[in-house]
Amino acid sequence: MTAHVKKADEVVVIAGADKGKRGRIIEVQTLKQTVLIEGVRMVKRHLKKGRAGAQQQGTIMEREAPVHMSNVMRADRYDARAAKRGAVQPAAKA
């Protein structure tokens, strides 16, 4: 199965609670048809004391949750579509 996005692509979320957010793809899961996007759909995980990565005390870890592939679009295609409509483009990152 192929995907319209790949790892390290910059994408825009086009549907859901995080609509409009941009980020780079960390991981593509083709079988589940999901992607992990840097800084998008952050969830909190509570780790018990003594677990790996918790450093002897309980912690609350924040990490990305998967987003379905159908809810993301490559940023260059999104910007081209917005320009065609005459919408104001966001400022480029310097």
Side-chain angles (χ1 to χ4, degrees):
M1 180 175 267
T2 60
H4 67 283
V5 292
K6 62 184 180 181
K7 188 175 178 178
D9 278 352
E10 186 177 348
V11 294
V12 179
V13 179
I14 59 172
D18 294 316
K19 183 177 180 177
K21 289 188 180 180
R22 290 175 176 253
R24 293 215 179 271
I25 293 183
I26 300 169
E27 181 183 351
V28 177
Q29 301 167 344
T30 54
L31 293 177
K32 293 182 180 180
Q33 294 186 348
T34 59
V35 292
L36 288 177
I37 306 169
E38 186 177 334
V40 176
R41 194 161 178 234
M42 300 300 286
V43 294
K44 293 186 180 188
R45 294 285 177 240
H46 296 260
L47 298 177
K48 285 186 178 181
K49 181 172 144 179
R51 291 269 175 111
Q55 294 119 12
Q56 300 297 324
Q57 64 179 8
T59 60
I60 300 173
M61 199 169 107
E62 198 169 9
R63 65 181 187 196
E64 293 87 2
V67 178
H68 198 270
M69 282 185 198
S70 66
N71 294 335
V72 298
M73 180 186 282
R74 283 195 347 242
D76 56 345
R77 295 191 69 199
Y78 182 83
D79 293 338
R81 188 174 284 185
K84 193 173 184 180
R85 282 195 321 259
V88 179
Q89 290 186 356
K93 293 181 182 178

